[in-house]
Amino acid sequence: MKLAFAMPHMLRVKAMMQPWEAAVTGADQTRLAKWAEKLGYGMIAVPEHHIVPRAHLDLSGPHHFNAFTAMAYWAGATERIRVNSCIAILPLQHPIVTAKALATMDWLSSGRVTVTFAVGWLQGEFEALGVDYHRRGAMAEEYIQAIIELWTKESPEFEGEYVSFRDVAFEPKCVQKPHVPVWFGGDADAVLGRVARYACGWWPFLTRPEQIPAKLDFIRSRPDYNGRLSDVFYGLGTARVGEGHVPQEDARARPGMAKQEIVDRLCWLGDLGVTWSAVPIPPVRSIEEYCDYTQWVAEEIMPAVK
C-alpha cells in the first residue's frame, strides 16, 4: 500500500475541512509538499472545480484549484513525489490543451505525473462554461481518445464530433511511456468501461469498499479491457463525503484513528484490491501539529503497510 499526502486547504468541503486549514497559504503548501516528499509520501493529488454555483456553496465551498496548475507548481517545488488530480474534469477543457498541459508537466518533471479524469457532476459549472452537461459522457469518451492520439503518434490524426485534427505536430511527448498514466474517477458502469479501455488506475468515490472487488471484476471482464489496470485509490476518509459533497457518517472513515486501527483498515483495503490510500487529517489546530501527525504516519504507519 502506498500513501498519498493529504494537503490541507485544497478545498473547503464541509464534510472534510477543519477551521485551521483556512489560514494555510500557498507558501505553507509549498513547504508541506517538500515535507511530504522528505517523509516518503508517494503522491499529492489535487481536486478541481473551476467555478461553484452559489447554491452549492454551503456543502462545496468556493475554494478549489485548477488541478493542472497546482500539480505543475508542486512538481516544480519537489524532486521525487508524484502529482495527480482527484479529479480533473475532462469535458470542461479542450483536449488539445489538456494533452499539451500534461505532456509539458510530465516532460518538465522527468515523468512524475499521473492524471485522474472524470466527467463532472456539477451542472451549473458546465452551464457557466458553456459546455453541454448532458453530453459530457460522450465528450469525455472522444476527448480521451484524442489525448492519447496526441501523446502517442508521431503524426496524430483524429476525426470526431467534438474535436478533429490532422496534418499537425505535437511535442513534447510524455516522458513516461506509452504516456502519462491515466486513471478515471467515478463509480458508474460507463466510468468503469473507460477504465477498462483507456486507463491503468481507478479512483472510486461513492463505491463502498466491500463493492470494490466486484467492480474490479467488472472492469477486467469487459471485452475491450486493455489489460493494464494496476492501481486503485481509496482514501480512509472517502466515505465521509457523499454525493454532492453531503457529509456522511462512517465510523470506519473517521480521522484520528489509533495506529492499529489504521493499519488494519489499510491492510483490509489492500486485500480488496486497493493499492493507494491516504490517512485523513485528524483534529489538529495548526500546520505544526499536522506536520507532527504526518511524520507519525510516515514513521509508524508506512512501514507497517508496505
Side-chain angles (χ1 to χ4, degrees):
M1 179 74 68
K2 292 169 280 190
L3 294 183
F5 185 83
M7 181 69 74
H9 201 200
M10 284 199 289
L11 38 71
R12 297 178 194 160
V13 170
K14 187 174 185 178
M16 301 178 69
M17 187 184 174
Q18 297 181 46
W20 66 273
E21 292 183 59
V24 174
T25 66
D28 294 328
Q29 291 180 335
T30 303
R31 179 166 61 91
L32 286 169
K34 296 176 179 180
W35 175 246
E37 180 170 78
K38 179 180 179 181
L39 292 176
Y41 286 85
M43 180 185 295
I44 301 171
V46 187
E48 175 176 87
H49 279 293
H50 301 292
I51 196 165
V52 178
R54 189 160 295 279
H56 287 271
L57 284 184
D58 180 55
L59 294 176
S60 298
H63 180 90
H64 298 268
F65 290 151
N66 173 281
F68 300 158
T69 302
M71 289 163 62
Y73 180 82
W74 286 329
T78 56
E79 296 180 356
R80 297 179 304 281
I81 198 167
R82 294 193 69 81
V83 293
N84 194 352
S85 52
C86 66
I87 47 67
I89 308 172
L90 183 55
L92 288 184
Q93 180 171 266
H94 196 285
I96 294 176
V97 176
T98 294
K100 177 63 72 172
L102 289 163
T104 301
M105 196 191 312
D106 199 55
W107 194 86
L108 288 170
S109 68
S110 300
R112 291 188 285 127
V113 176
T114 299
V115 62
T116 304
F117 288 125
V119 299
W121 62 272
L122 190 51
Q123 184 168 349
E125 183 173 20
F126 281 72
E127 292 169 353
L129 288 164
V131 178
D132 188 344
Y133 177 79
H134 301 290
R135 299 292 293 165
R136 69 195 191 282
M139 294 174 72
E141 185 75 15
E142 195 170 289
Y143 281 16
I144 187 59
Q145 294 174 15
I147 289 167
I148 291 173
E149 176 77 7
L150 290 164
W151 281 344
T152 58
K153 300 295 178 60
E154 289 304 315
S155 299
E157 294 185 1
F158 191 84
E159 185 69 33
E161 181 180 354
Y162 304 103
V163 58
S164 299
F165 49 81
R166 64 178 58 83
D167 298 323
V168 298
F170 181 92
E171 290 189 21
K173 301 294 189 186
C174 306
V175 171
Q176 300 175 88
K177 301 302 178 189
H179 51 70
V180 164
V182 172
W183 299 1
F184 276 93
D187 310 274
D189 286 354
V191 174
L192 303 183
R194 290 187 198 101
V195 174
R197 287 188 292 279
Y198 309 114
C200 63
W202 174 45
W203 196 315
F205 290 100
L206 301 178
T207 297
R208 305 299 295 178
E210 297 85 351
Q211 300 170 326
I212 289 175
K215 295 208 172 188
L216 293 177
D217 288 343
F218 178 87
I219 292 169
R220 294 179 172 125
S221 70
R222 297 302 86 198
D224 51 1
Y225 174 51
N226 64 19
R228 295 198 299 267
L229 180 60
S230 58
D231 283 304
V232 177
F233 194 114
Y234 193 92
L236 287 187
T238 297
R240 294 162 58 201
V241 186
E243 189 168 1
H245 292 159
V246 174
Q248 302 290 313
E249 292 293 332
D250 190 329
R252 301 175 303 173
R254 72 188 188 282
M257 291 183 283
K259 173 184 175 179
Q260 195 57 52
E261 194 172 1
I262 294 172
V263 170
D264 290 346
R265 181 74 169 161
L266 289 172
C267 290
W268 176 66
L269 290 173
D271 291 340
L272 297 177
V274 175
T275 62
W276 281 91
S277 191
V279 178
I281 299 175
V284 297
R285 294 166 295 181
S286 65
I287 293 175
E288 289 70 30
E289 288 188 7
Y290 185 53
C291 284
D292 289 343
Y293 183 77
T294 52
Q295 183 172 355
W296 175 80
V297 170
E299 292 175 352
E300 298 293 331
I301 306 299
M302 284 186 193
V305 298
K306 279 186 178 180

